Amino acid sequence: MKIKYDTKKRLVEQIFLLEILKGLKLTLKRLFSKPVTVQYPKEKKPLFPGFRGRHALIRDPKTKAAKCVACMRCATVCPSRCIRIRFSKDDETGARKLESYEIDALRCIFCGYCEEVCPVNAVVLTEEYEYSDYTRDPFHFDMERLLKNWDDFLEKKKMEPEKYLNPYLRPRGLPVGELPVGKRVEVPEEWTMEGQVIWKDGKAVSAKEADC
Amino acid sequence: MVHLSWYLTVSAMLFCIGVFGFLTRRNIIMMLLSIELMLNSVNLNLAAMSHYMEDIRGQVLVFFIIAVAAAEAAIGLGIVVTLFRNYRSVYTEDITILKG
Amino acid sequence: MPENKTDLKETTREEMAYEPYTIAMGPQHPATHGVLKLDLELDGETILDCKPTVGFLHRGVEKLAENMSYAQTLPLTDRLDYIASMANNVAYSIAVEKLLGIEVPLRAKYIRTIVMEMARLTGHLLWLATHALDIGAMTVFLYCFRERENLLDMFEEICGARLTTSYTCIGGVRQDVTGHFLESLYSFTEDFPSKIAEYETLIDKNRIWLKRTQGVGVVSAEDAVSLGLTGPTLRGSGVEYDVRKHMPYDAYPYVDFEVPVGSKGDVYDRYRCRMEEMHQSNSIIRQCIEALPKGPIRAPDAPDLVMPYARQKRVVADATFASGVIKLMEDTEHFIEGDVYVSAEVPKGELGFYFVSDGRGVPYRMHIRSPSYIHIGALPFLCKGQMVADVIAIIGSVDVVLGECDR
Amino acid sequence: MESLEIAKKIQEKYPDEVVSISETRGQVSVILTKDRIVEILRWLHDDPTFQFNHLADLCGVDYLGKKEVRFEVVYNLYSIPLRHSIRIRAQVPEDDCSIESVTGIWMGANWHERECYDLFGIEFMNHPDLRRILLPEGWEGHPLRKDYPLDGGGKNWSGYDEVVEKAKKLSQYDFYGIYQDPTKKTGLEDAREQD
Amino acid sequence: MVQLLFFYFALVVIGLGLRIVTCKNPVHSVLLMLLLFFHMAGLYLLLNAEFLAAVQVIVYAGAILVLYLFVLFLVNLREEIKMSPFVQKGKWAGLVAALALLITFLRGVFNFTLGPHGQYTIEKVQQITHTKAMGEAIYTTYILPFEIAGLILLVAVIGGLALAKKEDKGA
Amino acid sequence: MELLWILIKIIIVFTVVMIHVMYATYFERKVIGHMQVRMGPMRVGWHGVLQPIADGIKAFFKEDIIPTAADKKVFYAAPLICLISALSAVAVIPFFETFAIANINIGLLYIFAMSSLASYGVVLAGWSSNSKYSFLGGLRSSAQVISYEIAMGLSLVGVMMLAGSLNLSDIVHAQMQSSYKIYLIPQIIGFFVFVVAMFAETNRTPFDLPEAESELVAGYCTEYSGMRFALFFMAEYIGMIVMSCLAVICFLGGWSGPFEVPGIPFFWFILKAYFFIFLYYWVRATLPRYRYDQLMALGWKVLIPLALFNILLTGTIKSLIG
């Protein structure tokens, strides 16, 4: 498709600077329209659930400890290799016991792979993004720090831990059968594969409704 | 009361400074600047005379001299630029094409 | 100022030899769009020679990729063209899918097309913003960012990040879109043409804008192809080459759109091309939303995220924690030896990935054909004989991102 | 034209040059020896039946220990008017690590070849400006070779050492006068003295 | 008061003049020249020639001197500062010549007598303003010289253009 | 006694101008901000009203960096030349009937002289910084100011012809007695040329090439920081104010208005001047930037012929009518 444009000006336009006056009119109009900016530290935009922010280890409400089972999947998948896990092995049962869990947040690239592969919903990226500091040490999260991050986050969200559903704990639109047991949490219907949305008559409706 | 000869003295001294500069500087631009100095001294001379003679003619002449000075600067500096382009220098000892 | 004794020595004529006036534009310069350095040789304000220096942002993505699984490299592609990272994700994914021979479900294809076009809009909006700012129209910059923010918000809604999206995965997308996302995007597309009209009011016919852009940085169709220019930069010269049309991928065969091409190949033509492309992208997004089918969003045979490094048994459901369904299989159909080159049309041009595989889950060699790299390489050709102010306009019009250039 | 057909035609015309033809997922590569590479590519570029006017990509590959000939330079060609593509792979042995430049055919090959030279150390003969491009001048080794140490070989780049040295030197000055040590000179004074 | 002002202006003008011709850095010379022009303008004001003062600043300081600065920037200047500003041999000869000229001039100055007075008395000039007085003289009595001055300027413009124009490669 | 009165006038005008400069920066940021659908300064004080004070304090206490290779004397002098030449032009502006620091006969010429001096500050700043960007900025600025000064001077010749005087107060009086009350109508071409030249003289968008931030980083003031940079800034804004006042005096009838506002004799003057200052901001928010050669072409090939034509027209009409 050849673009057609006509940039030749008629004499009237040339003399009376019509196109410049139009531009001036637009800026004058915008002078009286409402600014779209957000005054950041005072007002904050609400984040969408699933924002990939500060890391946390979910505290198990029953045991009060991390849910991590030291399967090493997160450490394996991490592209920047910023997760370090140490565990000990019970000789009798063969069960793994988590010794330490460290995340170097300065190395992290916040891709969210760790929470996606975690089979038990233990590690999570919370919706916290304001945690800058003057030194490097505070960004080396050890297990206590990560658990505290989770507590802080819950306190901020004022939500029961069970009710909080991070979409990455349970990616939207995947069949339940393909997920590990730990991820089969209850989600709104729109998030399941059965309830996925399609477009119909100028509105997004779930495919189920559209069928009938 | 400022006497006329005071003006003339100042003008004469300024002119001689201009002459000295013109004769001794290596840089052609500075030589031209010295000429401006001399022209200024002449201007002062004319303006003072005209004032003390209660006539306007001298000052009209000053006006013309300023106009001519502008022309002179334009041409002179044009020549300097051309010289610089051809010889990469604005020093009198480098530009000896007439000496052969 | 105390004068140093050594300064007083007579300088000889030879020492005063003429040297052209050179200016180092960058690596820290407001108009080089990153850490690009241009050594300009000037005669007055006319450019005699222009020598670009790149590599300040070289991170060795290609070497990194040789030591990571295919899935792990995907987040790194966010950092190539960080202005439209979604497009890089898609381009990388289709390349890997071609290599592994994976067919993507239709719904995922449509979603990918939507996000790719959204990425094109974000890319073009930022391009217009900075291009206009370079030429001095400051207000267009902020108007463009107003819309770009909306798009980034939508990215945040579907993948949890605004810039480093990592949204796609090999064999599909990482998660489904929501109804809210579709509705807000659809209403955005309804408004967007009026927003484009607003930018055009300020610059399109403005005499200063025309003077600054018309006849500047002209590149003929033949030269443009020979220089390897792609994307709108090439199409501005009148060559109708668009990977979306020539080698269709994802849902592009199913949507109806046109490829705008210019005629003269100057800055203004490239500008017009991108403006028209924004209209086209807008219409593609609308068509895709309207035709979005239901179905899975990941291919059933897509490799697991924690992919083995060597040719091994592939685990579909985790043996330890799944409900008992354990499916192990020898993975030979995916990891074959050979090489593929697949490219996609990202906002900047043709982003190609060349993979050499030796049959492991790790690429033996990955080469990224980044459009910005080629475009910066063409800058000396474009800039010669122009003026300093035109260099700014030309850099803006070829639209380069240094993250992509240096990789 | 089908890619395989093109490959066959190349083989017909240059039977001695073509080493082999391979196909992966429908994409055809023609593996050539490097000697007449410019001639072949120019033929592909100019011939009206091929018209490969778009050099989509040019890169090097290092097959250390995998193949007999260590390096390959890969040309991904595409024809915009005829819409077909072919991949040419020229073998470059390690002991004669050089190949003819194709900048005369595609101007855009210039930077591709510089990159290839920079990262693989393959010399491109008759290249107008063969310098390092992504890495700084004075970098040792060619990082995309498979025998390049992943940890950098425990050696820093000389430019980095220079910067560290300079930083150390600057850190001994009291720039802002906050330490109030009369024996210490400020950096500015020292710089002035050095001038 | 007027005498004080005169002496101030006169001394500064002489001092600046000396500094200008001996200054090593031509840019500094030009800067001092600018200052000198201001003081000259001050002297003109003392002579009731306010129009001349304004023209002095506008034309000399505002246009001609900027031209000098321009040309100075065009030529390689940083090297010049390192060299002696004077010609190698003629420095003292120039000084002697200038001094001799000064003595001659001063003799003339002290033997000087004023000619007949004209019609533009100080009161009259102040009344009709200097600008108007100048204008009347220029546009009536001196209209021909004025035209010629305009012609000279035109010639200068064309000449300057012809000199500074780069040769076309084709020609 | 007279001297004391002049001194008081100087102090009053200086203070008022300085406050205007401070708040001109504030309103520029506010106006342009709102035109660009953002807020502008919001932090210091209510809606950022104390921002100029904060900026001033910051500039004052900032480290004054002087490049080692700079020509120090000239480097120090350049911002002062700019500021002083801009400030001294304020002296002849009659803000209302009886109020001007110096009501001199060649007021218009005086303003020209002062505005042509401002280019020295810029050129020398560019040269003395010993930076290539500064140097280019300086050169551009001087060429621009010299070229547009001609256009500006010629555009005002029509006004001089109609008023028959170079005294600014006389020009206003002459306007009040003319048939249209303002010279805008008979001198519309001159006004157009003047407004364009006014933008160029003060180095503002779309003619802000000397400091074009996307090309020359910051042009002639690239190497300046702290107080010295603030001096350039102040000079630029004072230049804007002076040019606005000149436009008001020469074309919009100075302090005269449709009706008298009791107690505020300068009401109309200030109002009209504010309009021009707003115009500066408005244009800055709207237009792109010219290229150097295009700018020169506009000045020499469009504005100067237009101004000459205007002179011809004015002369013809004047000789025909009276």
Side-chain angles (χ1 to χ4, degrees):
Chain A
M1 180 187 79
K2 268 267 189 286
I3 306 168
K4 289 187 189 74
Y5 49 81
D6 176 29
T7 51
K8 287 224 173 62
K9 292 202 186 68
R10 287 191 303 277
L11 196 65
V12 184
E13 285 174 323
Q14 194 70 37
I15 291 174
F16 291 103
L17 314 163
L18 282 189
E19 84 286 354
I20 288 177
L21 290 180
K22 264 183 207 158
L24 287 171
K25 196 180 133 203
L26 176 72
T27 40
L28 191 66
K29 201 172 96 190
R30 285 281 165 268
L31 178 62
F32 300 107
S33 68
K34 201 170 170 290
V36 294
T37 45
V38 174
Q39 297 297 309
Y40 162 58
K42 277 188 202 155
E43 12 172 334
K44 285 172 190 164
K45 260 182 157 175
L47 291 171
F48 286 101
F51 184 84
R52 306 204 290 256
R54 184 166 69 174
H55 320 70
L57 275 180
I58 295 180
R59 198 190 285 278
D60 196 326
K62 288 172 204 149
T63 61
K64 302 287 175 204
K67 280 164 127 186
C68 178
V69 291
C71 71
M72 303 297 284
R73 282 173 71 96
C74 53
T76 314
V77 82
C78 181
S80 58
R81 319 256 155 94
C82 67
I83 303 176
R84 186 159 297 156
I85 305 172
R86 268 183 291 165
F87 59 87
S88 58
K89 221 169 191 177
D90 197 317
D91 287 336
E92 289 170 23
T93 56
R96 290 171 174 185
K97 187 171 178 296
L98 187 66
E99 298 273 310
S100 76
Y101 192 103
E102 290 167 20
I103 292 179
D104 188 353
L106 293 177
R107 270 189 80 105
C108 180
I109 60 171
F110 298 91
C111 60
Y113 277 6
C114 46
E115 48 176 352
E116 193 174 330
V117 299
C118 183
V120 290
N121 282 350
V123 66
V124 64
L125 294 174
T126 61
E127 293 168 22
E128 172 73 42
Y129 57 92
E130 295 159 309
Y131 52 103
S132 50
D133 210 317
Y134 292 101
T135 52
R136 279 162 178 270
D137 293 345
F139 294 101
H140 193 86
F141 296 145
D142 55 9
M143 195 151 66
E144 277 73 54
R145 186 70 207 279
L146 286 165
L147 287 167
K148 193 173 162 292
N149 285 351
W150 176 248
D151 295 340
D152 291 349
F153 174 64
L154 278 189
E155 199 179 320
K156 208 172 155 194
K157 288 290 273 192
K158 298 202 173 49
M159 210 192 274
E160 289 293 308
E162 283 80 11
K163 290 234 177 97
Y164 176 71
L165 277 168
N166 190 320
Y168 275 98
L169 298 178
R170 161 79 164 87
R172 290 192 292 262
L174 287 182
V176 180
E178 277 191 19
L179 294 169
V181 181
K183 292 239 183 211
R184 292 179 190 170
V185 285
E186 217 170 288
V187 288
E189 202 192 351
E190 197 192 299
W191 287 17
T192 62
M193 205 185 142
E194 292 75 37
Q196 65 184 191
V197 287
I198 58 168
W199 194 257
K200 199 181 176 190
D201 305 330
K203 247 173 44 199
V205 291
S206 79
K208 228 191 245 171
E209 287 170 42
D211 281 341
C212 53
Chain B
M1 181 60 199
V2 185
H3 200 267
L4 171 62
S5 61
W6 297 358
Y7 278 105
L8 298 190
T9 313
V10 170
S11 151
M13 286 166 90
L14 204 58
F15 190 85
C16 292
I17 290 167
V19 168
F20 171 74
F22 183 77
L23 289 177
T24 53
R25 291 297 293 234
R26 298 170 67 225
N27 192 330
I28 296 182
I29 302 171
M30 285 310 294
M31 288 168 72
L32 285 174
L33 210 61
S34 300
I35 293 178
E36 298 290 344
L37 216 55
M38 282 144 77
L39 283 175
N40 258 285
S41 77
V42 171
N43 283 353
L44 183 61
N45 209 333
L46 286 170
M49 293 248 199
S50 155
H51 177 73
Y52 283 95
M53 287 170 79
E54 299 189 337
D55 198 344
I56 203 84
R57 275 181 289 176
Q59 293 177 356
V60 172
L61 211 52
V62 171
F63 183 78
F64 290 144
I65 288 177
I66 289 177
V68 173
E72 170 252 321
I75 292 286
L77 291 174
I79 292 171
V80 171
V81 169
T82 318
L83 276 177
F84 181 74
R85 226 178 244 151
N86 291 331
Y87 295 91
R88 292 277 152 220
S89 168
V90 287
Y91 301 109
T92 40
E93 62 258 40
D94 294 328
I95 301 158
T96 53
I97 187 163
L98 285 180
K99 266 204 252 169
Chain C
M1 190 164 57
E3 273 157 353
N4 210 319
K5 278 266 159 58
T6 52
D7 284 350
L8 287 172
K9 77 170 178 15
E10 292 271 319
T11 315
T12 56
R13 291 281 308 121
E14 282 70 33
E15 283 171 15
M16 284 173 54
Y18 168 73
E19 51 191 58
Y21 196 71
T22 55
I23 269 193
M25 193 179 264
Q28 293 183 17
H29 187 277
T32 51
H33 298 196
V35 282
L36 167 66
K37 184 178 174 227
L38 294 174
D39 289 314
L40 301 177
E41 225 165 72
L42 300 180
D43 171 31
E45 288 227 1
T46 315
I47 312 289
L48 296 178
D49 198 6
C50 160
K51 289 195 194 96
T53 309
V54 296
F56 296 98
L57 212 58
H58 181 56
R59 291 149 298 180
V61 170
E62 291 174 14
K63 188 76 178 173
L64 281 170
E66 287 175 15
N67 299 289
M68 288 205 276
S69 72
Y70 288 107
Q72 279 179 328
T73 310
L74 196 131
L76 299 188
T77 62
D78 290 339
R79 278 91 183 156
L80 293 178
D81 176 3
Y82 38 75
I83 287 160
S85 48
M86 279 288 192
N88 304 332
N89 296 158
V90 176
Y92 179 82
S93 301
I94 60 166
V96 175
E97 281 150 16
K98 176 87 178 168
L99 178 70
L100 304 187
I102 295 167
E103 183 61 26
V104 181
L106 200 59
R107 184 177 174 88
K109 280 187 174 179
Y110 270 88
I111 293 173
R112 279 186 185 187
T113 311
I114 292 173
V115 295
M116 185 115 181
E117 292 307 317
M118 282 168 76
R120 196 179 314 283
L121 285 182
T122 57
H124 282 356
L125 280 172
L126 195 112
W127 156 79
L128 179 64
T130 51
H131 187 39
L133 186 69
D134 287 348
I135 296 185
M138 181 170 45
T139 303
V140 180
F141 179 81
L142 286 134
Y143 288 177
C144 288
F145 263 75
R146 183 182 56 189
E147 270 73 64
R148 192 178 134 87
E149 281 304 304
N150 293 342
L151 285 169
L152 293 185
D153 282 348
M154 290 173 211
F155 282 163
E156 188 190 316
E157 184 177 353
I158 54 169
C159 68
R162 297 165 71 83
L163 285 176
T164 55
T165 48
S166 309
Y167 178 55
T168 61
C169 66
I170 294 150
V173 293
R174 272 168 73 182
Q175 57 176 333
D176 208 345
V177 294
T178 59
H180 179 257
F181 166 80
L182 287 184
E183 267 162 15
S184 55
L185 182 58
Y186 200 81
S187 67
F188 174 83
T189 57
E190 274 168 351
D191 281 353
F192 191 59
S194 71
K195 300 288 162 79
I196 297 178
E198 202 166 86
Y199 317 142
E200 286 181 344
T201 317
L202 284 174
I203 51 179
D204 196 49
K205 287 224 165 102
N206 190 305
R207 61 192 66 202
I208 304 174
W209 180 266
L210 291 178
K211 272 192 173 167
R212 286 298 301 277
T213 52
Q214 283 189 324
V216 172
V218 181
V219 55
S220 71
E222 230 168 65
D223 286 340
V225 174
S226 173
L227 282 166
L229 304 182
T230 46
T233 316
L234 173 69
R235 292 194 285 273
S237 300
V239 183
E240 198 163 350
Y241 172 57
D242 190 319
V243 184
R244 291 175 295 174
K245 283 277 187 203
H246 279 235
M247 289 166 264
Y249 52 93
D250 283 349
Y252 286 110
Y254 316 125
V255 292
D256 177 35
F257 69 102
E258 276 178 295
V259 180
V261 293
S263 45
K264 293 193 207 82
D266 55 7
V267 174
Y268 189 75
D269 270 359
R270 299 198 271 273
Y271 152 79
R272 280 298 337 158
C273 262
R274 290 200 173 87
M275 295 305 267
E276 290 298 324
E277 254 178 44
M278 286 207 251
H279 283 291
Q280 295 296 335
S281 294
N282 200 47
S283 115
I284 293 173
I285 292 174
R286 285 175 74 98
Q287 290 174 40
C288 284
I289 291 177
E290 278 160 7
L292 186 68
K294 61 176 181 175
I297 54 163
R298 274 189 207 179
D301 57 346
D304 194 59
L305 209 52
V306 194
M307 209 160 51
Y309 281 80
R311 187 191 295 171
Q312 276 177 0
K313 290 188 174 71
R314 205 165 68 84
V315 184
V316 167
D318 194 281
T320 330
F321 302 101
S323 58
V325 183
I326 300 169
K327 192 176 154 200
L328 297 168
M329 62 180 185
E330 189 79 19
D331 202 342
T332 48
E333 55 185 304
H334 286 114
F335 299 109
I336 58 164
E337 284 184 36
D339 54 346
V340 291
Y341 171 80
V342 180
S343 56
E345 184 81 12
V346 298
K348 308 279 177 290
E350 177 188 349
L351 177 68
F353 286 91
Y354 175 65
F355 284 106
V356 179
S357 166
D358 60 348
R360 292 184 304 148
V362 180
Y364 184 73
R365 164 97 170 100
M366 181 183 88
H367 181 250
I368 305 167
R369 183 242 192 253
S370 59
S372 296
Y373 184 74
I374 313 298
H375 290 176
I376 291 175
L379 277 184
F381 182 89
L382 290 165
C383 289
K384 244 170 235 174
Q386 307 281 344
M387 302 185 85
V388 176
D390 293 336
V391 174
I392 308 299
I394 291 168
I395 293 175
S397 77
V398 299
D399 194 12
V400 291
V401 167
L402 270 291
E404 188 184 51
C405 170
D406 296 346
R407 286 156 288 167
Chain D
M1 213 185 298
E2 285 295 311
S3 301
L4 214 54
E5 225 174 296
I6 298 166
K8 288 271 151 55
K9 279 198 175 167
I10 298 172
Q11 199 168 25
E12 264 169 42
K13 184 149 188 200
Y14 297 95
D16 300 340
E17 302 292 322
V18 175
V19 177
S20 65
I21 294 172
S22 75
E23 188 182 350
T24 313
R25 308 270 185 215
Q27 296 191 356
V28 179
S29 317
V30 182
I31 301 162
L32 303 173
T33 57
K34 65 169 190 170
D35 298 328
R36 293 168 74 186
I37 184 75
V38 173
E39 189 191 327
I40 298 170
L41 289 176
R42 187 175 288 283
W43 174 60
L44 288 172
H45 177 265
D46 293 344
D47 196 286
T49 51
F50 300 133
Q51 295 187 32
F52 283 110
N53 56 355
H54 179 51
L55 176 70
D57 191 21
L58 189 161
C59 67
V61 184
D62 177 10
Y63 291 104
L64 180 66
K66 291 217 171 242
K67 291 189 181 174
E68 276 171 35
V69 185
R70 181 171 172 184
F71 295 109
E72 268 179 14
V73 176
V74 185
Y75 304 87
N76 278 297
L77 307 181
Y78 184 74
S79 162
I80 293 172
L82 301 180
R83 300 197 176 192
H84 53 217
S85 62
I86 187 83
R87 178 157 49 247
I88 307 289
R89 284 156 58 181
Q91 292 183 327
V92 179
E94 193 179 2
D95 47 355
D96 176 22
C97 203
S98 66
I99 189 168
E100 212 47 48
S101 163
V102 295
T103 41
I105 307 171
W106 295 282
M107 281 192 271
N110 186 331
W111 275 35
H112 280 306
E113 287 177 352
R114 273 179 75 183
E115 184 195 334
C116 193
Y117 163 74
D118 190 2
L119 301 176
F120 285 96
I122 298 172
E123 296 260 352
F124 287 85
M125 290 177 294
N126 301 330
H127 188 281
D129 181 27
L130 198 62
R131 285 181 293 129
R132 283 192 180 274
I133 184 160
L134 290 176
L135 301 178
E137 302 278 335
W139 187 273
E140 283 173 32
H142 301 282
L144 277 186
R145 290 188 175 192
K146 287 286 175 185
D147 53 1
Y148 189 84
L150 281 179
D151 58 351
K155 229 175 106 186
N156 289 330
W157 171 50
S158 56
Y160 174 75
D161 288 340
E162 235 169 68
V163 171
V164 171
E165 197 80 356
K166 181 99 181 171
K168 263 185 201 156
K169 204 182 147 209
L170 287 178
S171 68
Q172 70 189 8
Y173 297 127
D174 177 10
F175 269 109
Y176 302 104
I178 36 177
Y179 303 114
Q180 305 291 336
D181 186 354
T183 58
K184 263 192 172 177
K185 272 185 297 192
T186 67
L188 272 180
E189 280 166 13
D190 201 61
R192 280 196 190 119
E193 275 171 27
Q194 279 179 1
D195 283 346
Chain E
M1 182 69 196
V2 176
Q3 280 176 9
L4 220 62
L5 275 174
F6 171 79
F7 279 118
Y8 164 72
F9 285 132
L11 283 177
V12 171
V13 161
I14 301 291
L16 284 176
L18 280 172
R19 193 76 193 88
I20 286 164
V21 293
T22 52
C23 196
K24 233 171 159 196
N25 190 336
V27 173
H28 289 180
S29 284
V30 170
L31 257 188
L32 296 175
M33 196 80 177
L34 175 69
L35 221 56
L36 185 136
F37 284 155
F38 272 105
H39 288 87
M40 288 296 278
L43 282 173
Y44 288 145
L45 282 180
L46 288 186
L47 293 169
N48 270 340
E50 56 197 34
F51 182 74
L52 277 189
V55 168
Q56 171 89 4
V57 173
I58 293 175
V59 177
Y60 259 125
I64 299 180
L65 219 50
V66 178
L67 213 62
Y68 275 92
L69 262 190
F70 243 72
V71 176
L72 274 177
F73 291 158
L74 256 174
V75 304
N76 201 349
L77 209 146
R78 307 260 166 208
E79 304 295 325
E80 145 92 353
I81 304 167
K82 295 180 185 166
M83 294 192 245
S84 159
F86 299 111
V87 286
Q88 273 131 10
K89 288 163 195 161
K91 192 172 169 182
W92 298 110
L95 191 62
V96 169
L99 281 177
L101 198 63
L102 182 61
I103 292 164
T104 324
F105 277 157
L106 288 183
R107 256 189 86 80
V109 165
F110 290 118
N111 296 338
F112 185 76
T113 45
L114 215 55
H117 283 224
Q119 47 177 337
Y120 286 92
T121 57
I122 297 166
E123 291 76 36
K124 191 184 172 191
V125 171
Q126 274 174 349
Q127 191 207 332
I128 65 170
T129 73
H130 184 249
T131 318
K132 207 159 190 170
M134 287 279 290
E136 275 173 6
I138 289 173
Y139 289 113
T140 54
T141 326
Y142 298 99
I143 185 71
L144 186 67
F146 180 72
E147 297 282 343
I148 293 170
L151 207 65
I152 289 174
L153 277 176
L154 182 69
V155 170
V157 166
I158 294 167
L161 269 177
L163 276 172
K165 192 174 179 287
K166 263 186 245 170
E167 285 169 32
D168 288 331
K169 271 171 196 160
Chain F
M1 200 56 223
E2 202 184 337
L3 214 63
L4 194 71
W5 174 226
I6 288 176
L7 209 65
I8 290 169
K9 279 208 273 196
I10 288 175
I11 289 167
I12 292 171
V13 170
F14 182 78
T15 323
V16 169
V17 166
M18 278 307 170
I19 290 171
H20 270 82
V21 166
M22 276 167 64
Y23 276 90
T25 61
Y26 171 73
F27 278 107
E28 168 155 30
R29 292 168 69 178
K30 270 290 180 198
V31 167
I32 293 184
H34 279 272
M35 280 179 175
Q36 295 167 342
V37 289
R38 57 192 175 90
M39 304 287 271
M42 285 292 283
R43 291 279 176 276
V44 193
W46 180 81
H47 274 250
V49 281
L50 300 176
Q51 186 68 40
I53 295 163
D55 283 345
I57 291 169
K58 187 195 84 172
F60 200 78
F61 287 106
K62 226 175 154 179
E63 188 187 355
D64 186 16
I65 300 165
I66 298 148
T68 15
D71 191 327
K72 298 214 172 38
K73 284 177 217 156
V74 184
F75 192 80
Y76 291 143
L80 288 175
I81 294 177
C82 266
L83 184 68
I84 289 170
S85 61
L87 260 180
S88 31
V90 181
V92 293
I93 290 172
F95 292 99
F96 53 93
E97 185 73 53
T98 52
F99 191 91
I101 296 175
N103 189 8
I104 60 175
N105 285 333
I106 46 161
L108 212 51
L109 283 186
Y110 175 81
I111 287 184
F112 282 155
M114 288 306 142
S115 76
S116 68
L117 285 179
S119 69
Y120 275 94
V122 175
V123 176
L124 292 170
W127 177 78
S128 66
S129 310
N130 206 352
S131 150
K132 292 182 175 178
Y133 285 113
S134 303
F135 185 57
L136 266 184
L139 281 190
R140 278 180 174 192
S141 164
S142 55
Q144 174 181 338
V145 170
I146 292 169
S147 311
Y148 277 79
E149 207 165 86
I150 300 171
M152 181 178 255
L154 291 176
S155 72
L156 286 178
V157 168
V159 172
M160 296 176 200
M161 284 163 82
L162 290 182
S165 172
L166 293 179
N167 185 316
L168 295 175
S169 301
D170 288 353
I171 290 176
V172 176
H173 286 298
Q175 271 182 77
M176 286 149 109
Q177 282 147 21
S178 73
S179 47
Y180 293 107
K181 300 292 175 210
I182 49 175
Y183 280 164
L184 174 66
I185 297 154
Q187 288 292 318
I188 184 77
I189 302 173
F191 177 71
F192 173 73
V193 175
F194 180 84
V195 169
V196 177
M198 171 174 108
F199 282 99
E201 276 280 294
T202 44
N203 296 338
R204 298 282 300 187
T205 317
F207 308 105
D208 58 342
L209 302 158
E211 47 197 359
E213 72 273 358
S214 60
E215 295 156 32
L216 302 181
V217 189
Y220 57 87
C221 44
T222 307
E223 305 293 337
Y224 280 88
S225 60
M227 205 53 216
R228 279 174 221 289
F229 179 74
L231 290 185
F232 275 121
F233 215 71
M234 270 151 46
E236 185 181 329
Y237 280 87
I238 295 169
M240 273 165 62
I241 291 171
V242 168
M243 284 299 157
S244 305
C245 291
L246 196 59
V248 170
I249 290 164
C250 290
F251 293 100
L252 295 188
W255 59 82
S256 66
F259 56 88
E260 287 272 314
V261 180
I264 326 171
F266 47 81
F267 176 81
W268 291 109
F269 187 93
I270 294 269
L271 200 68
K272 293 168 193 170
Y274 282 173
F275 168 74
F276 278 101
I277 292 173
F278 176 74
L279 188 69
Y280 271 113
Y281 306 154
W282 193 7
V283 168
R284 188 178 165 201
T286 312
L287 291 186
R289 184 183 300 121
Y290 268 109
R291 197 172 67 201
Y292 176 67
D293 59 329
Q294 290 162 353
L295 169 97
M296 294 310 256
L298 179 75
W300 288 97
K301 291 184 193 161
V302 179
L303 294 186
I304 291 179
L306 259 183
L308 288 173
F309 174 72
N310 180 44
I311 293 170
L312 195 70
L313 201 70
T314 314
T316 317
I317 291 172
K318 205 180 173 196
S319 59
L320 283 178
I321 293 172

